[in-house]
């Protein structure tokens, strides 16, 4: 059984016990424990169930690479699924639970899959569930969906806070092991600004476990002193609990800091996403030990040799009382030696190499440990935990030589450099036969904006495993990096070390080499996704020869660990099956993030009211107080209507329309886009921007204009006013102001840079109030306007007036068909003027109206709305706006496009009015059907509804739509099927439903 | 995320300050152009493995449009320059040839 050993564990404080929960059980750990080490100390070896076969699984690793130890953490809306027990710091009151089992961790019904495993090979869901076809939708898919995934997320709103953080430094160092720390010292001594980040809470890395001699002293002392020295330098920042998750184009780096996860009820943001610009990046991300592939290598109690050593040295926890060590390299001997020195039993070291290990083997032998060279594990015995192993020769098919009883197995398949960050940004890899691993190809590093290396790699991440090499290369690389920054130093001399020379690793991708199918079908490559040696072999056999295809077919290397343990072993099996060498098979692409980060950290502060800015007019608060039902228009909020007491939204709209048609309505039109175009070439410029002529517009006059894209499609419309000889004010749609302003700038800067024209977006500088209705003129006169009679201010004209001492500009334009004035006033006087107008409410029967009444009235008049009648494929000719396309001009944006053949195709759908024969409102977006069917058996469509309303004025449903040959078919009836399978019949009519002669706007 | 140098601000800024505007040095085709010329102007764009000339606007900065020469392979940027020109200036071509001696400017039709 796994247990705590008193007197061991450098990181735990045994005088500070903590209480925590796992699956409802109260357990005890120590300050400094991880959740993983605390569970192991309580003999909780079984921690979860595997994804596909629901096999019992225990911890395999002790760090970020852990594939099995995924738990649910916390409670209620702070609950977090798939958290790694190995990277979760223990605190008093921690609540955790295991995942992926039913009804319980110890007894899981899903384990039946284990016995059905021959029916569930790689890609089984592509093969097994094909027939009968309907069964997929109703039986197979719902069951598979239910069993897919690991932990379940919470459904409530996340109560925690998250933040983004920006950092600009000279050198970013990722990884706080000895190479990262030493590199930081060399860089910092040169005067560079250094940020060092470390994913765990502690600095020192693997060396602090293995304890090599440095400068004739202990490494622990060296690490402590160096850390203290760095912390004392004001050009150095060290951040623990911060993992480098990605390096992007031009060296942009992301890091993820966990601020409050290690204590209960800490205040402040929970996670912080760092966005880092460093002139140079050094990754010292270490290496990850690989498992060995032997039968039943997933039984709880089989663990990486380095993890066994880590739990013992840092946390004082033993995985078992009798541990068999199995390896293809020298490093695992350290585990055997540590265990033996702690008084635990190591019955055997199994070394697959016929010649065995170097100096470390001698040490082990001197301690009395039995070593078998050239041997292997044939199979591990036990179900919920290891009971023993069968010894066999590494050559051969696994014939058992000897049965050895044990309760733990420490395995080592060699070390893979963590090359993720190097690869994210384009660094290339080389296969190193000596090391049996991919290591960075320093000739092809990731490059920055100037085409030179922006990222370098040191330590075991570079493939250096001997401390002497690690520190020497770190020194050389860091000096080169700071030289790039124009810096140098000789104040951080290389420490003296003497590492223990090791014999070469041997490539052992299968144990034994000739393992039978029976053994291979129990040999796990990817613990998290339940991928076995036979699955990868099957993928190769079925033609999934590319490593990327094999990954997706078998799911090898997917999910939350992204194959940190399994990738190299998996592709070695693939290359063996394909009879190719490993470099020619290659690796799958490394993509960020290196390890999972919370969704909350990505969102940061951008949530709720901070999600996006809201634009408010000066009258916003007035609207809010008077019952405005809000409608978003771009980033603006506009009143849809003003709901009075006891009234429905629908009734409010009817009331507002009726008031405008019979008395006076006022609208806050401040959101209308306003772009001032000035300069001696303004007229010439606007003649290119608008489809119609603007240069001949008279002073004091307005003209409705259309803007098309170069493609010919209608993108915006609005009224242009000629202000003086060299200036025009262009009104755009509320949502289009920024786009049109930007379009004008683009043409001016990049095509017609010889034009003397200046464009300014003045949308927010002016409030605009529309006064609509028969009594509108009387309202303005009452306000003090004196130049607005029909002679001095005819339709489509403007005048300057003074109202209560405020300069205003009055445009006589109409989007409602009524007599209508738009009063423009500096924004700081917008609310003042609005209040003044509404103070006349009783006298003239003034009613404020919202956007819906505006829409209904413009539809009654057949005026188009950008975004309703247009959708990016509609040209002015489709909307009967040919009159606005100048024939006099040689050119305008969109003119050449309008000459394309398809633009004059008579079959193009054209604007008409539609009236349902029963007076009902035709459903929005409905399509009209014609006779016959298309090539896929659907009914032919001949038109669609673009706007549809109930008209309170005409007391019936009215609609605008685009219909094939529409204008030639006035009076005909067409059919609109609805979503409820009924059909609405509609008559094609003129799009102008109300006051076709324009009498009312001319009173 | 790219680092771009705005030639008007003379500042190196993050990509999020800019908006991309596609291929640079297109010649506008309008009334009088053939269907093929017009189609090519509207839709046909180069997709080179190597040096690419691009339009960018410092939209969250000074608002100015400018051009850059960028390697689509390594993302190296050889320089940025005014959009108010019909071909890349000499200094940009020299910068590119320092890295890629074989490269020659070919104007697009």
């Amino acid at each position: 059984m796994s247990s705590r050993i008193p007197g061991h564990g450098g990181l735990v404080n045994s005088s500070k016990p903590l209480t925590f929960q796992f699956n409802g059980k109260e357990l005890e750990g120590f300050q400094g424990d991880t959740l993983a080490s605390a569970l192991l100390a309580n003999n909780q070896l079984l921690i979860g169930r595997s994804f596909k076969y629901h096999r019992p699984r225990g911890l395999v690793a002790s760090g970020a690479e852990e594939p099995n130890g995924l738990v649910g953490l916390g409670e209620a809306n702070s609950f977090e699924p798939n958290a790694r027990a190995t990277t979760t710091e223990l605190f008093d009151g921690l609540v955790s639970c295991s995942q992926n089992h039913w009804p319980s961790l110890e007894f899981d019904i899903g384990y039946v899959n284990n016995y059905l495993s021959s029916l569930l090979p790689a890609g089984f869901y592509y093969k097994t569930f094909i027939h009968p076809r309907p069964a997929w939708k109703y039986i197979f898919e719902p069951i598979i969906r239910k069993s897919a995934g690991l932990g379940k997320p919470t459904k409530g709103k996340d109560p925690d806070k998250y933040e983004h953080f920006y950092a600009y430094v000279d050198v970013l160092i990722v990884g706080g092991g000895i190479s990262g720390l030493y590199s930081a010292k060399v860089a910092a001594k040169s005067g560079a600004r250094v940020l060092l980040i470390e994913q765990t809470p502690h600095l020192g890395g693997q060396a602090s476990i293995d304890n090599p001699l440095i400068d004739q002293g202990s490494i622990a002392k060296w690490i402590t002193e160096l850390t203290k020295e760095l912390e004392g330098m004001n050009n150095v920042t060290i951040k623990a609990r911060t993992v480098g998750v990605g390096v992007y184009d031009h060296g942009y780096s992301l890091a993820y800091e966990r601020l409050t996860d290690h204590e209960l009820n800490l205040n402040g943001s929970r996670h912080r996403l760092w966005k880092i610009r460093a002139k140079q990046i050094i990754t010292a991300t270490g290496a990850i030990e690989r498992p060995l592939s032997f039968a039943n290598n997933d039984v709880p109690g089989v663990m990486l040799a380095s993890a066994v050593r880590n739990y013992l040295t840092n946390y004082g926890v033993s995985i078992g009382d009798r541990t068999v060590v199995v390896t293809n390299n020298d490093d695992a001997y350290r585990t055997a030696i540590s265990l033996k020195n702690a008084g635990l039993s190591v019955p055997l070291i199994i070394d697959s190499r016929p010649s065995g290990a170097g100096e470390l083997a001698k040490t082990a032998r001197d301690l009395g440990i039995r070593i078998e060279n050239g041997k292997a594990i044939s199979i591990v015995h036990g179900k919920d935990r290891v009971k023993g192993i069968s010894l066999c020769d590494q050559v051969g098919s696994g014939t058992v030589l000897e049965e050895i009883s044990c309760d733990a197995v420490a395995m080592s398949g060699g070390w893979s450099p963590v090359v993720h960050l190097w690869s994210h940004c384009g660094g290339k890899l080389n296969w190193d036969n000596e090391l049996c691993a991919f290591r960075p190809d320093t000739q092809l590093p990731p490059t920055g904006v100037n085409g030179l290396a922006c990222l370098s790699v040191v330590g075991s991440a570079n493939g250096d495993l001997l401390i002497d090499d690690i520190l020497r290369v770190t020194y050389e690389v860091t000096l080169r990096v700071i030289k790039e920054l124009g810096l140098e130093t000789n104040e951080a001399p290389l420490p003296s070390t003497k590492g223990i020379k090791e014999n070469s690793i041997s490539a052992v991708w299968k144990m034994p080499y000739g393992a039978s199918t029976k053994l291979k079908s129990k040999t796990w490559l990817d613990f998290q996704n339940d991928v076995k040696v036979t699955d990868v072999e099957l993928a190769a056999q079925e033609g999934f020869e590319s490593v990327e295809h094999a990954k997706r077919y078998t799911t090898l290397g997917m999910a939350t660990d992204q194959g940190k343990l399994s990738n190299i072993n998996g592709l070695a099996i693939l290359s063996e099956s394909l009879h190719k060498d490993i470099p020619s098979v290659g690796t799958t692409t490394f993509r960020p993030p290196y390890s999972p980060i919370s969704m909350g950290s990505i969102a940061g502060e951008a949530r709720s009211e901070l999600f996006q800015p809201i634009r408010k007019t000066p009258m916003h608060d007035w609207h809010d107080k008077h019952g405005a039902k809000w409608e978003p228009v771009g980033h603006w909020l506009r009143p849809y209507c003003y709901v009075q007491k006891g009234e429905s939204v629908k009734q409010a709209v009817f009331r507002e329309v009726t008031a405008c048609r019979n008395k006076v309505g006022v609208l806050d039109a401040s959101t209308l886009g306003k772009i001032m175009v000035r300069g001696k070439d303004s007229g010439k410029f606007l003649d290119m921007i608008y489809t119609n002529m603007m240069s001949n517009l008279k002073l004091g006059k307005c003209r409705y204009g259309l803007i098309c894209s170069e493609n010919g499609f209608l993108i915006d419309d609005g009224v242009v006013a000629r202000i003086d000889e060299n200036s025009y004010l262009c009104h755009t749609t509320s949502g289009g102001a920024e786009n049109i302003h930007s379009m004008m700038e683009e043409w001016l800067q990049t095509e017609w840079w010889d034009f003397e024209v200046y464009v300014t977006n003045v949308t927010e500088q002016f409030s605009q109030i529309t006064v609509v209705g028969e009594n509108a003129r009387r309202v303005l006169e009452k306000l003090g306007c004196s130049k607005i009679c029909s002679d001095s201010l005819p339709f489509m004209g403007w005048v300057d007036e003074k109202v209560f001492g405020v300069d205003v500009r009055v445009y006589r334009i109409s989007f409602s068909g009524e007599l209508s004035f738009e009063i423009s006033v500096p924004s700081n006087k917008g609310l003042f003027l609005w209040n003044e107008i509404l103070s006349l409410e009783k006298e003239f029967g003034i009613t404020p109206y919202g956007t819906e009444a505006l829409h209904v009235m413009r539809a009654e008049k057949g005026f188009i709305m950008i975004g309703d009648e247009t959708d990016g494929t509609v040209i002015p000719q489709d909307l009967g706006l040919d009159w606005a396309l100048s024939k006099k001009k040689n050119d305008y944006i969109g003119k050449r496009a309008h000459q394309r053949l398809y633009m004059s195709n008579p079959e193009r759908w054209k604007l008409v009015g539609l009236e349902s024969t029963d007076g009902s409102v035709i459903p929005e977006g409905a399509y009209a059907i014609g006779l016959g069917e298309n090539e896929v058996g659907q009914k032919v469509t001949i038109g669609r509804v673009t706007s549809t309303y109930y008209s309170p004025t005409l007391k019936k449903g009215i609609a605008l739509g685009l219909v094939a040959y529409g204008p030639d078919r006035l009076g005909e009836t067409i059919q609109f099927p609805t979503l409820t399978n009924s059909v609405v019949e509609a008559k094609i009519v003129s799009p102008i439903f109300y006051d076709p002669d324009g009498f009312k706007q001319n009173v | 995320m790219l680092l771009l140098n705005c030639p008007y601000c003379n500042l190196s800024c993050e990509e999020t300050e800019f908006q991309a505007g596609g291929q640079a040095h297109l010649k506008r085709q309008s009334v009088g152009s053939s269907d093929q010329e017009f189609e090519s102007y509207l839709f046909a764009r180069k997709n080179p493995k190597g040096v690419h000339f691009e339009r960018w606007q410092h939209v969250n900065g000074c608002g100015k449009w400018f051009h850059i020469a960028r390697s689509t392979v390594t993302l190296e940027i050889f320089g940025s320059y005014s959009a108010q020109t019909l071909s890349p200036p000499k200094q940009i071509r020299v910068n590119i040839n320092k890295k890629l001696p074989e490269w020659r400017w070919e104007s697009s039709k």
Side-chain angles (χ1 to χ4, degrees):
Chain A
M1 61 183 280
S2 64
S3 60
R4 187 87 69 179
I5 305 174
H8 282 74
L11 294 181
V12 293
N13 182 351
S14 55
S15 64
K16 293 261 171 73
L18 306 173
T19 311
F20 70 103
Q21 269 188 35
F22 179 71
N23 285 347
K25 266 186 301 189
E26 288 271 324
L27 300 172
E28 198 170 87
F30 293 135
Q31 193 183 61
D33 260 325
T34 62
L35 177 59
S37 66
L39 286 169
L40 290 169
N42 285 281
N43 194 28
Q44 186 65 50
L45 198 57
L46 178 64
I47 194 166
R49 289 274 170 175
S50 75
F51 181 64
K52 192 162 146 189
Y53 304 119
H54 291 251
R55 284 169 69 95
R57 287 283 163 78
L59 293 157
V60 180
S62 57
E65 70 276 26
E66 170 61 37
N68 293 337
L70 301 181
V71 295
L73 280 187
E75 290 171 295
N77 288 337
S78 284
F79 178 81
E80 181 188 351
N82 301 336
R84 257 171 201 70
T86 49
T87 58
T88 301
E89 292 172 63
L90 196 71
F91 54 82
D92 213 22
L94 180 145
V95 177
S96 60
C97 59
S98 54
Q99 315 184 136
N100 203 33
H101 50 68
W102 185 85
S104 75
L105 177 60
E106 289 72 22
F107 178 75
D108 178 14
I109 295 282
Y111 189 63
V112 68
N113 283 3
N114 187 52
Y115 300 106
L116 302 173
S117 66
S118 61
L119 301 176
L120 305 170
F124 73 97
Y125 34 81
Y126 305 124
K127 298 167 182 165
T128 315
F129 302 114
I130 291 179
H131 298 289
R133 300 297 293 197
W136 171 255
K137 188 172 175 191
Y138 297 104
I139 303 169
F140 302 141
E141 193 187 354
I143 292 174
I144 290 173
R145 288 231 179 272
K146 197 157 174 264
S147 60
L150 293 160
K152 304 271 178 273
T154 163
K155 286 187 176 148
K157 191 173 170 176
D158 189 339
D160 294 316
K161 281 197 299 179
Y162 303 87
E163 65 188 34
H164 288 179
F165 204 78
Y166 298 81
Y168 296 83
V169 293
D170 295 323
V171 184
L172 166 68
I173 298 170
V174 184
I178 54 166
S179 52
L181 286 168
Y182 180 50
S183 179
K185 175 168 173 173
V186 177
K189 287 287 183 189
S190 78
R193 271 206 301 162
V194 176
L195 171 62
L196 179 128
I197 58 175
E198 161 57 37
Q199 60 181 347
T200 71
H202 311 286
L203 298 168
Q206 184 66 28
S208 60
I209 299 165
D210 295 344
N211 212 8
L213 274 179
I214 186 163
D215 285 344
Q216 280 87 45
S218 91
I219 195 97
K221 183 163 158 271
W222 186 81
I223 291 167
T224 312
E225 284 172 1
L226 179 51
T227 306
K228 213 169 156 193
E229 184 181 0
L230 289 172
E231 281 170 350
M233 298 175 79
N234 51 22
N235 57 334
V236 179
T237 307
I238 300 177
K239 282 281 163 187
R241 302 187 177 97
T242 305
V243 57
V245 289
V247 178
Y248 303 79
D249 296 348
H250 290 172
Y252 185 75
S253 311
L254 283 189
Y256 172 67
E257 183 178 10
R258 297 199 295 168
L259 294 155
T260 63
D261 284 348
H262 58 287
E263 292 256 10
L264 195 63
N265 300 330
L266 277 184
N267 288 325
S269 292
R270 182 178 180 194
H271 300 147
R272 180 185 282 162
L273 193 67
W274 287 66
K275 301 176 171 186
I276 306 163
R277 270 293 176 195
K279 289 180 187 151
Q280 287 287 327
I281 303 163
I282 296 175
T283 62
T285 43
I288 290 175
E289 198 171 22
R290 293 189 295 259
L292 282 167
S293 301
F294 47 83
N296 284 347
N297 58 349
D298 69 326
V299 173
V302 180
M303 194 180 268
L304 293 174
S306 60
V308 172
R309 191 154 87 235
N310 187 7
Y311 285 120
L312 177 68
T313 312
N314 277 339
Y315 306 100
V317 170
S318 72
I319 306 309
D321 302 345
R322 279 172 64 80
T323 306
V324 166
V325 175
V326 56
T327 184
N328 63 347
N329 64 83
D330 283 21
D331 186 61
Y333 283 71
R334 293 193 170 92
T335 301
I337 294 164
S338 305
L339 290 169
K340 194 78 182 173
N341 284 337
L344 293 155
S345 162
V346 179
L348 180 61
I349 296 175
I350 303 170
D351 193 323
S352 65
R353 298 168 296 180
S355 52
E359 283 178 48
L360 288 165
K362 188 175 173 300
T363 314
R365 244 182 227 113
D366 290 348
L367 287 168
I369 302 174
R370 175 185 165 199
I371 299 171
E372 288 284 348
N373 290 336
K375 295 290 186 293
I377 288 181
S378 175
I379 193 164
V380 174
H381 305 294
K383 189 179 134 197
D384 288 343
R385 84 157 300 154
V386 173
K387 292 205 171 81
I389 60 117
S390 299
L391 186 71
C392 67
D393 284 315
Q394 172 59 29
V395 293
S397 61
T399 307
V400 178
L401 301 173
E402 187 180 338
E403 297 290 352
I404 294 155
S405 79
C406 60
D407 57 358
V409 175
M411 62 181 166
S412 177
W415 292 79
S416 297
V418 175
V419 294
H420 297 64
L421 299 181
W422 171 272
S423 299
H424 285 171
C425 184
K428 298 285 178 274
L429 302 174
N430 271 335
W431 177 256
D432 185 326
N433 248 331
E434 187 84 351
L435 194 67
C436 290
F438 282 103
R439 62 192 291 182
D441 179 351
T442 47
Q443 297 304 306
L444 293 168
T447 54
V449 62
N450 55 6
L452 303 173
C454 67
L455 189 150
S456 310
V457 55
V458 298
S460 54
N462 186 43
D464 299 322
L465 296 178
L466 192 69
I467 186 169
D468 314 359
D469 299 338
I470 286 175
L471 293 177
R472 182 180 44 79
V473 173
T474 301
Y475 186 57
E476 290 164 5
V477 167
T478 312
L479 284 182
R480 180 177 53 69
V481 163
I482 59 173
K483 200 172 162 209
E484 289 287 322
L485 304 175
L487 301 169
E488 56 179 15
T489 181
N490 51 18
E491 287 177 54
L494 195 57
S496 74
T497 53
K498 194 169 181 316
I500 299 169
K501 285 266 181 300
E502 297 181 12
N503 285 357
S504 309
I505 183 176
S506 74
V508 173
W509 308 117
K510 249 179 352 206
M511 195 169 243
Y513 289 133
S516 63
T517 305
K518 195 175 164 201
L519 292 178
K520 285 190 293 186
S521 67
K522 289 177 187 152
T523 302
W524 263 257
L525 290 170
D526 186 323
F527 300 112
Q528 190 162 100
N529 290 296
D530 264 342
V531 181
K532 301 165 295 179
V533 169
T534 43
D535 293 322
V536 174
E537 288 176 345
L538 184 69
Q541 190 188 321
E542 295 187 351
F544 295 90
E545 299 185 1
S546 146
V547 63
E548 299 284 2
H549 289 160
K551 167 177 174 172
R552 279 143 189 91
Y553 193 58
T554 60
T555 69
L556 177 93
M558 291 193 177
T560 70
D561 66 339
Q562 287 288 295
K564 288 188 182 70
L565 292 187
S566 63
N567 271 348
I568 301 295
N569 287 348
L571 74 91
I573 296 291
L574 181 66
S575 63
E576 205 173 275
S577 311
L578 297 171
H579 308 293
K580 287 182 180 173
D581 57 3
I582 290 175
S584 66
V585 171
T587 64
T588 50
T589 310
F590 292 94
R591 293 194 179 85
Y594 167 68
S595 52
I597 64 175
S598 66
M599 301 302 280
S601 72
I602 298 170
E605 300 90 343
R607 57 192 284 183
S608 304
E609 65 273 17
L610 293 180
F611 179 66
Q612 65 173 20
I614 293 172
R615 298 173 79 181
K616 299 173 178 178
T617 75
M619 294 79 116
H620 184 92
D621 291 345
W622 189 97
H623 303 321
D624 208 35
K625 265 187 232 136
H626 290 79
K629 177 184 153 58
W630 294 107
E631 179 183 37
V633 179
H635 284 177
W636 291 104
L637 279 186
R638 301 190 69 182
Y640 177 89
C641 64
Y642 302 85
V643 182
Q644 295 183 349
K645 221 175 177 179
E647 189 182 55
S648 70
V649 169
K650 210 168 164 181
Q651 286 166 336
V653 173
F654 289 1
R655 175 178 52 72
E656 291 172 10
V657 172
T658 310
C660 295
R661 291 280 183 233
N662 297 320
K663 287 181 178 163
V664 186
V666 289
L667 173 80
D668 177 3
S670 307
T671 62
L672 200 68
K674 305 165 204 85
I675 296 168
M676 187 59 95
V677 178
R678 286 197 164 129
K680 73 176 170 55
D681 296 317
S682 298
K684 190 162 78 164
F685 174 62
L686 291 181
D687 280 348
M688 291 303 295
I689 295 290
Y690 285 89
T691 63
N692 37 356
M693 191 80 96
M694 287 298 168
S695 55
N696 63 0
L697 184 59
K698 301 243 171 350
L699 291 187
K701 293 292 178 194
C702 302
R703 184 172 289 162
Y704 174 71
L706 303 178
I707 300 178
C708 288
S709 64
E710 192 74 308
N711 236 323
F713 300 121
L714 184 56
I715 56 171
D716 210 85
D717 67 348
V719 168
V720 178
R722 181 83 180 252
I723 305 301
D724 61 35
E725 182 56 31
N726 287 333
S727 43
Y728 297 77
L729 181 70
C730 303
H731 290 104
T732 72
T733 57
S734 288
E738 283 66 38
N739 291 339
I740 298 303
H741 174 238
S742 142
M743 170 191 174
M744 287 180 174
E745 276 289 346
E746 185 177 347
W747 284 105
L748 277 175
Q749 289 185 35
T750 65
E751 188 68 29
W752 302 306
W753 62 77
D754 52 330
F755 285 17
E756 191 186 308
V757 177
Y758 307 94
V759 300
T760 316
N761 186 350
V762 296
T763 302
E764 292 177 354
Q765 271 60 49
F766 297 95
S767 289
Q768 203 134 314
I769 300 169
T770 311
V771 185
V772 161
E774 288 166 12
N775 290 334
R777 190 176 283 118
R778 285 174 56 209
V779 173
L780 266 72
E781 280 165 357
K782 185 83 182 186
L783 292 171
C785 295
S786 57
K787 295 175 267 183
I788 54 163
C789 70
S790 54
D791 290 338
S792 52
L793 183 57
F795 186 54
M796 297 305 270
W798 62 266
V799 290
D800 282 339
E801 292 271 11
K802 220 175 195 60
V803 175
F804 303 109
V806 178
D807 286 323
V808 302
R809 183 164 289 159
V810 181
Y811 302 91
R812 191 173 154 205
I813 51 183
S814 179
F815 196 42
S816 57
E818 297 299 322
L819 175 66
S820 165
F821 299 92
E822 297 210 359
I823 313 173
S824 176
V825 54
S827 282
N828 60 346
K829 301 287 181 198
L831 181 60
F832 167 76
L833 185 63
W834 179 262
N835 280 327
E836 287 300 331
I837 294 171
L838 281 157
S839 70
L840 308 172
E841 188 178 350
K842 290 253 159 55
E843 188 176 346
F844 296 101
I846 299 174
T847 301
Y849 67 99
T851 52
E852 186 63 1
L854 167 95
H855 280 127
V856 172
M857 288 191 285
R858 67 93 195 166
E860 289 174 343
K861 282 292 290 179
F863 294 142
I864 63 135
M865 177 67 85
I866 298 292
D868 283 343
E869 275 63 47
T870 68
D871 64 355
T873 68
V874 171
I875 56 175
Q877 294 89 327
D878 298 339
L879 303 175
L881 296 169
D882 308 65
W883 58 266
L885 306 174
S886 170
K887 296 201 173 54
K888 284 186 238 160
K889 293 194 294 187
N890 289 330
D891 197 5
Y892 56 80
I893 294 166
K895 185 173 171 95
R896 175 63 185 85
H898 290 159
Q899 295 168 347
R900 283 182 293 179
L901 208 55
Y902 181 63
M903 298 306 199
S904 50
N905 185 341
E907 289 180 10
R908 288 187 72 90
W909 294 0
K910 300 212 166 188
L911 184 75
V912 289
L914 297 163
E915 274 179 9
S916 60
T917 49
D918 61 0
S920 66
V921 178
I922 310 173
E924 222 160 295
Y927 273 78
I929 50 162
L931 296 173
E933 292 180 343
N934 65 13
E935 61 275 18
V936 290
Q938 297 162 326
K939 284 178 180 157
V940 167
T941 56
I942 55 164
R944 64 186 166 89
V945 168
T946 54
S947 299
T948 176
Y949 301 98
Y950 179 77
S951 162
T953 315
L954 305 167
K955 307 273 188 298
K956 63 182 175 188
I958 59 164
L960 298 175
L962 296 166
V963 176
Y965 300 100
D968 302 330
R969 301 174 62 183
L970 294 185
E972 284 182 36
T973 299
I974 52 174
Q975 320 254 319
F976 289 91
T978 71
L979 293 176
T980 54
N981 286 331
S982 60
V983 172
V984 179
E985 282 204 333
K987 194 166 80 171
I988 302 177
V989 296
S990 156
I992 308 171
F993 295 92
Y994 178 67
D995 187 24
D997 299 325
F999 173 76
K1000 293 204 74 179
Q1001 70 195 20
N1002 285 322
V1003 291
Chain B
M1 174 141 58
L2 301 178
L3 279 172
L4 300 177
N5 193 76
C6 170
Y8 293 91
C9 300
N10 197 22
L11 280 176
S12 171
C13 304
E14 300 286 352
E15 191 180 333
T16 44
E17 283 196 26
F18 301 87
Q19 73 160 324
Q23 185 181 323
H25 301 302
L26 288 177
K27 186 170 174 354
R28 181 167 186 257
Q29 302 291 330
S30 187
V31 177
S33 60
S34 71
D35 277 356
Q36 204 192 340
E37 284 165 339
F38 187 62
E39 183 204 21
S40 168
Y41 158 62
L42 274 190
F43 303 117
R45 294 293 180 268
K46 290 181 176 173
N47 184 19
K49 184 177 180 180
V51 183
H52 192 230
F53 295 89
E54 299 172 338
R55 292 158 13 102
W56 287 83
Q57 187 195 13
H58 197 183
V59 64
N60 294 314
C62 66
K64 290 289 190 187
W65 283 91
F66 60 93
H67 292 170
I68 66 165
R70 183 176 70 100
S71 164
T72 59
V73 180
T74 65
L75 308 187
E76 176 174 0
I77 294 176
F78 301 103
S80 50
Y81 55 97
S82 164
Q84 300 178 355
T85 179
L86 300 176
S87 59
K90 182 143 184 276
Q91 187 56 51
I92 300 289
R93 300 188 204 191
V94 169
N95 290 352
I96 297 170
N97 280 138
K98 271 188 211 155
K99 273 281 166 63
L100 306 163
E102 305 293 303
W103 176 87
R104 292 289 173 273
W105 161 250
E106 287 168 35
S107 63
S108 54
K109 274 195 225 158

